[in-house]
Amino acid sequence: MTDNFDPKGTQRQKNDRRTARQFSTTLPGGKLQPQAIELEEAVLGSVMIEKNALTSVIEFLRPEIFYKDAHQKIYQAIIDLYNNSQPIDILTVTNQLRQKAELELVGGAYYITELTNRIASAANIEFHARIITQKYLQRELIRISTDTVNMAYEDTTDIFELLDKAEGDLFKITEGNLRRNAESMSDLIKKSITEIESLKDRPDGLTGVPSGFTALDRVTSGWQRSDLVIVAARPAMGKTAFILSALRNAAVGFNKPVAVFSLEMSSVQLVNRLISGEAELESEKLKKGNLAQHEWQQLHSKIGKLATAPIYIDDTPALNIFELRAKVRRMKQHYGIEMIVIDYLQLMHGSSEKGGNREQEISAISRSLKGIAKELNVPVIALSQLSRAVETRGGDKKPMLSDLRESGSIEQDADMVIFLYRPEYYGFTQDESGRSTAGVAEVIIAKHRNGSLDTVPLRFQGKYIKFSDLEEDNFGFSNDSGLSPLSPSSNFNNLESAGSGTITLASKNWDKHDDDDNVPF
């Protein structure tokens, strides 16, 4: 008995049993995958008998949607003919398949002819194609679910990565299975020209989500889709106030849905700051409820637009990148968000299951944020802290890219890096030309992948921590970028009276947890 023992044969039997268990899990009851072969034949036949039939389905019907491999090859041959502006019929499709050495693989010329004999007209081709697409989506759901079940049984699986992968795959299906493939240069040129032509009639020149700051939007053309924007500064420079101003302007002034992830402050604290800015009431008074009668009236009369603004705030503490991705996907689906704000980057966490130092973790987070921006095609604005090197450096203490804290990958992954700088915070009361710096904040664009670098002056009121366009007739500004200062504009002077985008926050009410360095304010 021992001499006839075959360990390899025993192992093969174990593998066979394991495969059988997996197969029974994947296809319970021996069910066939969803398919509609007859409709696939009808669609292919319709395309070959009517000249314009393909144009009604080519936008959503792709070769991989067909269940039968032969049908995928035939449809790909039809697409190739269409792209080359050649006629589509039995003879041309047969010849195309012959040139690709695939004619016999699909059943020969006889099978191509049979496809056209199964259909009388192309009247219902779009309806048939929709059903084929539905069957494909059902198969994709089965595939994703099966992969998830099989991976969940593995002890070595990272559960957070599995959740992220499963939700990501389902999100692609939810979007209508419109995952982008590589596009030809001719198609992209047409899209680009169409977009340029559509912009010529827009006097503001905005192509992205407006910040509401005239001078800044003039340089950036708004926050651009798929961009990762880093807004960095030392504590007490007004990072949160600046981004609250920008998101309020986008949501209230331009009705752009914005998602805000506040890792530092609670949602109520954030809303109180928004109310303070909208109603132009000191946050100290709001915190105590110590308002005069006319201030109560002012409060209720001015927050109407803010109350209906498409701003969605999530204050989950210690948010990790997997949770963030899941949340923004749902918010994109339910609310159609057009901008994501994160306050702030250093309070986020990567996967708790992985090792590595903090620099590697921040690198992974910044890469993931860029991926989210591209996946959802929205700008992602993340606030970031700067290192203490700014404080120890001599001179005017303006921040530099090397001051970005904890990881150089933040600079690499970002499409735009913006620094906030207030000279009066460091005791500089005048610029090089002798003009007062009181109430002046500088927005320094230190990196701009798709545009120019510049320094934009904004007006900053310490009483409210309120950012708005600078009234240059009242405030001086030194432009160290070498570019000429912005000329006075009536837009600046009229902005506040028009209510077009300012936020007011009290300067002495900064949260003490704004920075782990615990730098005194």
Side-chain angles (χ1 to χ4, degrees):
M1 295 293 291
T2 306
D3 295 338
N4 295 330
F5 178 68
D6 181 8
K8 292 185 178 179
T10 304
Q11 184 62 41
R12 191 180 303 112
Q13 292 174 0
K14 291 181 179 178
N15 293 338
D16 291 342
R17 287 195 296 270
R18 185 182 300 112
T19 302
R21 287 196 301 270
Q22 292 175 348
F23 182 78
S24 63
T25 303
T26 305
L27 299 173
K31 294 181 180 179
L32 292 174
Q33 289 195 349
Q35 54 187 281
I37 301 298
E38 298 85 358
L39 293 181
E40 291 182 6
E41 294 171 346
V43 167
L44 293 173
S46 298
V47 169
M48 288 187 286
I49 65 173
E50 288 200 15
K51 180 179 179 180
N52 298 321
L54 183 61
T55 57
S56 60
V57 299
I58 194 173
E59 183 179 353
F60 63 89
L61 192 63
R62 304 189 309 278
E64 63 268 25
I65 289 178
F66 289 85
Y67 177 75
K68 193 172 180 180
D69 185 63
H71 293 168
Q72 293 183 10
K73 289 181 169 60
I74 294 171
Y75 188 70
Q76 183 60 60
I78 292 171
I79 295 297
D80 293 340
L81 291 169
Y82 178 83
N83 290 335
N84 294 325
S85 300
Q86 297 181 14
I88 299 170
D89 55 33
I90 299 173
L91 296 178
T92 57
V93 172
T94 301
N95 184 61
Q96 181 72 13
L97 288 167
R98 185 181 289 113
Q99 290 179 359
K100 298 172 67 175
E102 294 179 345
L103 184 59
E104 297 305 319
L105 295 176
V106 304
Y110 174 78
Y111 185 72
I112 304 296
T113 305
E114 281 296 301
L115 290 175
T116 60
N117 293 334
R118 296 171 189 267
I119 191 74
S121 74
N124 300 318
I125 183 174
E126 185 172 354
F127 181 75
H128 295 162
R130 294 290 181 186
I131 296 176
I132 295 172
T133 304
Q134 290 174 17
K135 298 297 181 183
Y136 168 73
L137 294 178
Q138 287 178 268
R139 296 196 300 272
E140 284 293 283
L141 283 172
I142 292 172
R143 178 187 63 80
I144 293 169
S145 302
T146 301
D147 290 345
T148 303
V149 168
N150 291 336
M151 291 178 67
Y153 276 111
E154 298 293 333
D155 293 335
T156 57
T157 300
D158 186 317
I159 187 61
F160 295 105
E161 289 186 355
L162 177 57
L163 286 170
D164 181 60
K165 180 180 183 301
E167 185 160 13
D169 290 340
L170 289 172
F171 180 75
K172 296 171 191 174
I173 296 179
T174 304
E175 281 190 315
N177 191 40
L178 296 177
R179 188 67 176 177
R180 299 178 207 163
N181 297 314
E183 297 179 85
S184 67
M185 193 62 184
S186 60
D187 292 337
L188 292 172
I189 287 290
K190 290 176 184 177
K191 288 183 180 180
S192 181
I193 294 299
T194 301
E195 183 174 326
I196 293 172
E197 289 176 346
S198 68
L199 293 173
K200 69 179 181 180
D201 298 325
R202 298 189 59 174
D204 55 15
L206 292 176
T207 58
V209 178
S211 70
F213 302 123
T214 308
L216 182 60
D217 284 337
R218 191 181 301 147
V219 178
T220 65
S221 297
W223 309 117
Q224 298 298 310
R225 293 189 297 267
S226 79
D227 273 5
L228 172 60
V229 180
I230 300 296
V231 177
R234 287 297 292 161
M237 288 295 113
K239 294 186 299 297
T240 303
F242 171 78
I243 202 59
L244 280 176
S245 300
L247 72 89
R248 179 270 170 201
N249 294 342
V252 176
F254 297 90
N255 200 35
K256 301 290 187 181
V258 180
V260 184
F261 293 88
S262 178
L263 286 76
E264 182 182 30
M265 296 162 48
S266 72
S267 57
V268 174
Q269 288 176 315
L270 213 59
V271 169
N272 285 341
R273 289 194 169 196
L274 283 168
I275 292 174
S276 175
E278 191 72 14
E280 296 190 343
L281 295 171
E282 295 181 36
S283 59
E284 276 293 335
K285 290 187 175 182
L286 292 177
K287 194 178 297 182
K288 299 174 182 178
N290 185 22
L291 301 178
Q293 184 61 37
H294 73 278
E295 290 175 326
W296 283 110
Q297 294 175 355
Q298 179 178 336
L299 173 65
H300 290 291
S301 65
K302 288 193 174 183
I303 63 172
K305 290 183 178 179
L306 184 63
T308 58
I311 301 174
Y312 306 95
I313 301 175
D314 186 310
D315 62 355
T316 304
L319 190 68
N320 66 49
I321 195 64
F322 299 113
E323 293 171 327
L324 175 69
R325 187 181 286 115
K327 287 173 180 288
V328 295
R329 282 170 178 162
R330 296 191 197 103
M331 296 174 89
K332 175 70 172 178
Q333 179 183 352
H334 293 139
Y335 307 122
I337 57 173
E338 297 187 36
M339 185 168 77
I340 299 169
V341 173
I342 300 165
D343 184 12
Y344 60 89
L345 179 64
Q346 279 78 14
L347 290 179
M348 290 194 66
H349 294 281
S351 172
S352 59
E353 301 295 321
K354 292 183 178 180
N357 57 35
R358 181 58 176 166
E359 182 175 347
Q360 293 171 334
E361 188 176 21
I362 291 293
S363 299
I365 291 171
S366 66
R367 285 194 301 270
S368 297
L369 291 179
K370 176 59 182 175
I372 290 172
K374 287 195 66 177
E375 178 184 343
L376 300 184
N377 197 32
V378 298
V380 174
I381 305 176
L383 275 58
S384 177
Q385 297 287 6
L386 294 177
S387 69
R388 286 176 173 172
V390 177
E391 308 294 336
T392 59
R393 191 164 53 235
D396 56 14
K397 301 185 183 298
K398 285 189 177 181
M400 302 181 296
L401 288 173
S402 59
D403 295 325
L404 284 170
R405 186 171 158 189
E406 291 183 312
S407 178
S409 66
I410 297 177
E411 175 188 348
Q412 297 168 13
D413 297 328
D415 297 280
M416 185 185 299
V417 177
I418 289 176
F419 295 128
L420 298 181
Y421 172 73
R422 292 194 293 115
E424 63 177 334
Y425 178 81
Y426 293 107
F428 300 109
T429 58
Q430 293 182 335
D431 63 13
E432 295 177 354
S433 301
R435 292 172 296 187
S436 173
T437 59
V440 173
E442 299 180 18
V443 177
I444 303 170
I445 304 176
K447 178 184 178 182
H448 194 185
R449 185 166 293 169
N450 301 308
S452 61
L453 306 181
D454 204 347
T455 298
V456 176
L458 292 181
R459 182 171 176 238
F460 177 80
Q461 291 177 321
K463 184 177 180 180
Y464 300 115
I465 305 190
K466 176 180 180 177
F467 283 86
S468 62
D469 282 322
L470 182 68
E471 299 171 351
E472 290 202 34
D473 54 342
N474 294 330
F475 296 95
F477 174 69
S478 174
N479 189 336
D480 292 337
S481 65
L483 300 175
S484 60
L486 296 171
S487 59
S489 169
S490 59
N491 290 336
F492 293 167
N493 299 327
N494 295 334
L495 183 68
E496 185 176 354
S497 61
S500 58
T502 57
I503 283 294
T504 303
L505 303 165
S507 92
K508 300 203 184 256
N509 294 327
W510 280 84
D511 196 307
K512 293 295 183 183
H513 301 289
D514 188 63
D515 185 37
D516 338 61
D517 289 344
N518 291 324
V519 177
F521 295 91

